[in-house]
Amino acid sequence: MARREYKFLKHVKRRGFNVCDWNWGHARGFSSGFLVDKGSSSRGVLVIPKVASDIRNHSTSVEGHVNKKGFESIYIQGGLNPSVIEKIETESDAAKEGKEETSSNRVEINGSKVNTNFFEGLNESTTPKVVEREVSKIEKEAWQLLRSTIVNYCGNPVGTVAANDPADRQPLNYDQVFIRDFVPSALAFLLNGEMEIVKNFLLHTLQLQSWEKTVDCYSPGQGLMPASFKVKTVPLDGSDGGFEEVLDPDFGESAIGRVAPVDSGLWWIILLRAYGKITGDYALQERVDVQTGIRLGLNLCLSDGFDMFPTLLVTDGSCMIDRRMGIHGHPLEIQALFYSALRCAREMLIVNDGTKNLVAAINNRLSALSFHIREYYWVDMRKINEIYRYNTEEYSTDAVNKFNIYPDQIPSWLVDWIPEEGGYLIGNLQPAHMDFRFFTLGNLWAIVTSLGTSKQNEGILNLIEARWDDLMGHMPLKICYPALEYEEWRIITGSDPKNTPWSYHNGGSWPTLLWQFTLACIKMGKPELARKAVALAETRLSMDQWPEYYDTRSGRFIGKQSRLFQTWTISGFLTSKMLLENPDKASLLFLEEDYELLEICVCALSKTGRKKCSRFAARSQIHV
């Protein structure tokens, strides 16, 4: 490569990603530089280095299972790999087919077209005939507001801003495109037959992966996805008055607490699978750069560390709850998303000699993770009674109280709150600590992805139904229950003035959780619960100008610092309505129980006898 080209690319990297064509990719190596061979094509082609790893056998980490030819080497001396070029050039065929629409299945709403034919593309022999329904006034308003949040980059839509309140003079970072926030927007567009914006988003965020942003001279791991990005206009080098657009990602170096997002890369993998399932455009998943992006994300999550548990160890502020709330350690939300991303990635990975060991590592981790969560995070009346009678200081491998939990940790509110029929997955588990708070997102996503057993999934919905006033109130849904109050709030949150009791992340009500609740209810055959929740929200959202969250124990007040016209509130509502209209499309987003995972156990690979697995002793308590 000419020296001047290399310098240009390094300059692009430092300043911001500014190549408008998403077919252009940057090197995904473990070095700090780019290498792109332009050849005779007008587009650059990804340069993927070989990755070698030689870690011990039987690990559930990616390093222990990816051999020396794990990643294809696409840059070939003297030219490009023809098979790779063909794969990149031909993948657009499916995309073109997905864009074909007929005017008969769209209605005009305030200058925008909304798809009312949700059944298109499904099996005609089993699909009922389409009955066009009249779109309600609030849905028309929601679609108009959602389209007003679209962000364009080089003339193409690439995402939606977090909030778009015209009266907000200090948008802070709400004018950025957040990966987690865009997921319900993406689903709304996909269910409406609009794939371009989602495809652009997936590919552009992929190109931002692995940047080396730093906090005080320290760089996060390769494979990290940004929390958000912003389209900026900057002066064009060597041009008198010219400007260009660049994508400026935030990996946490500008966030509250300077915490890198753990959930962004997990949501990206989950959305990638959803895109393929809904559109049928599986060519996107098969692109070499996309396959490599999946592997880099898995490499970051599956690497060996000091932890003895199969769960991901993370700090406070690394997910939707992005402030100090005492969720550091192994929060349920991250574990549910981790489990989902692993299963989605396993489904999308192209299996060959370079990936078969990676797939084996994923299977081992999935098996261990599902067992760990089902056995140790689940609480119902039977389990609480068991904990109440725990012995402590048990050192042997036969210990019942494996994490040295003290019975006095059972909070007084829980005794009368948990119903006789039902239960839930606790918020966190660490040595000598169980966080008994109910975290909604983790429990709902455990249902959607079959992280919990079928009996546990039913129990979670039973608990929500039994404690409807507490978790739904006047506005669904509580992000967690109960709130931290008094001295507990002061110690755990650091006297956070935004996370005061029953506000924001500390027991606030978040309408965006509606779409995940809807998915969980449809999967468990209880769509009436979702309809009840959506109808409850529908009475207030438009009148209250689509707030980010609500305050008070019952969710009666608009959040004291809540942004109005919050995009994922709007898109969460629209997605919920469309999922209820078409449960067949909703089923494409589920992950059913994988019975083979119950039989996989890495302990069986040990020949030393030092490992004594409790899985078989506990299997009688796990109901599939």
Side-chain angles (χ1 to χ4, degrees), residues 136 138-139 475 533-542 573 577:
S136 66
I138 187 175
E139 287 178 79
M475 175 57 64
V534 171
L536 184 64
E538 194 167 3
T539 60
R540 294 189 56 187
L541 286 178
S542 177
F573 167 76
K577 296 285 284 189

Side-chain angles (χ1 to χ4, degrees), residues 58-339:
H58 311 321
S59 168
T60 60
S61 73
V62 64
E63 286 91 340
H65 294 273
V66 179
N67 61 20
K68 293 185 179 180
K69 296 183 180 179
F71 292 161
E72 297 90 348
S73 179
I74 299 179
Y75 182 73
I76 300 175
Q77 186 174 4
L80 296 169
N81 187 333
S83 63
V84 173
I85 297 175
E86 181 182 359
K87 184 176 293 185
I88 293 177
E89 294 291 343
T90 60
E91 69 82 35
S92 61
D93 293 341
K96 293 178 181 178
E97 293 178 5
K99 291 182 180 179
E100 294 179 359
E101 301 170 340
T102 58
S103 58
S104 62
N105 65 347
R106 289 187 168 264
V107 294
E108 192 80 16
I109 296 177
N110 295 325
S112 301
K113 291 185 177 181
V114 177
N115 192 347
T116 57
N117 184 359
F118 300 129
F119 298 105
E120 184 178 359
L122 298 179
N123 190 329
E124 296 181 358
S125 62
T126 59
T127 301
K129 292 183 179 180
V130 177
V131 179
E132 290 194 7
R133 64 181 182 88
E134 182 179 353
V135 182
S136 66
K137 181 179 179 180
I138 187 175
E139 287 178 79
K140 294 178 182 179
E141 177 190 346
W143 273 112
Q144 183 182 25
L145 291 172
L146 179 59
R147 297 193 189 285
S148 71
T149 68
I150 293 176
V151 174
N152 288 295
Y153 173 60
C154 297
N156 297 310
V158 293
T160 53
V161 294
N164 190 30
D165 184 358
D168 189 358
R169 296 183 179 180
Q170 291 183 319
L172 301 178
N173 60 350
Y174 284 82
D175 62 349
Q176 298 184 22
V177 180
F178 281 81
I179 289 185
R180 77 171 69 94
D181 291 41
F182 181 68
V183 172
S185 296
L187 293 177
F189 287 125
L190 289 175
L191 292 169
N192 195 48
E194 302 173 57
M195 61 186 292
E196 180 187 7
I197 185 173
V198 183
K199 184 173 185 177
N200 291 343
F201 171 85
L202 288 167
L203 290 169
H204 278 301
T205 49
L206 174 65
Q207 290 169 339
L208 297 177
Q209 184 190 34
S210 301
W211 277 41
E212 294 186 356
K213 289 299 186 82
T214 62
V215 176
D216 295 336
C217 303
Y218 182 77
S219 300
Q222 288 282 346
L224 182 70
M225 280 286 185
S228 61
F229 66 86
K230 187 173 183 178
V231 178
K232 291 185 176 181
T233 303
V234 299
L236 184 63
D237 289 345
S239 174
D240 185 16
F243 291 88
E244 62 180 343
E245 289 185 336
V246 300
L247 294 179
D248 184 27
D250 180 6
F251 289 86
E253 73 275 8
S254 302
I256 293 292
R258 302 304 187 265
V259 178
V262 176
D263 62 338
S264 291
L266 306 177
W267 277 123
W268 184 87
I269 292 175
I270 293 168
L271 180 59
L272 178 64
R273 175 187 180 270
Y275 172 88
K277 285 287 187 179
I278 295 176
T279 67
D281 178 15
Y282 294 103
L284 180 65
Q285 301 172 5
E286 297 170 357
R287 284 175 50 130
V288 179
D289 52 346
V290 174
Q291 287 282 309
T292 307
I294 296 172
R295 298 184 200 177
L296 285 175
L298 295 178
N299 182 45
L300 188 64
C301 294
L302 292 173
S303 58
D304 279 332
F306 291 98
D307 205 0
M308 293 294 293
F309 309 140
T311 42
L312 276 184
L313 178 62
V314 298
T315 186
D316 255 335
S318 58
C319 55
M320 179 182 177
I321 297 178
D322 59 6
R323 301 168 74 93
R324 180 177 166 188
M325 268 287 290
I327 64 168
H328 58 279
H330 307 89
L332 176 65
E333 175 180 332
I334 292 295
Q335 314 317 320
L337 293 175
F338 182 36
Y339 179 83

Side-chain angles (χ1 to χ4, degrees), residues 1 5-15 24 26-36 47 49 207-214 217-223 296:
M1 171 182 287
E5 290 181 347
Y6 180 71
K7 287 182 177 179
F8 166 75
L9 290 171
K10 289 184 69 176
H11 183 63
V12 169
K13 176 181 177 181
R14 182 183 73 252
R15 189 181 57 195
W24 186 93
H26 63 68
R28 306 207 177 286
F30 290 88
S31 64
S32 61
F34 289 101
L35 286 178
V36 175
V47 181
Q207 290 169 339
L208 297 177
Q209 184 190 34
S210 301
W211 277 41
E212 294 186 356
K213 289 299 186 82
T214 62
C217 303
Y218 182 77
S219 300
Q222 288 282 346
L296 285 175

Side-chain angles (χ1 to χ4, degrees), residues 519-559:
L519 266 182
C521 290
I522 293 174
K523 180 180 180 183
M524 300 307 296
K526 293 187 175 182
E528 68 281 356
L529 282 181
R531 290 192 183 94
K532 181 180 177 182
V534 171
L536 184 64
E538 194 167 3
T539 60
R540 294 189 56 187
L541 286 178
S542 177
M543 179 179 61
D544 294 339
Q545 297 184 308
W546 307 91
E548 179 184 15
Y549 64 94
Y550 286 77
D551 283 355
T552 73
R553 183 185 289 267
S554 62
R556 297 195 67 180
F557 292 172
I558 298 173

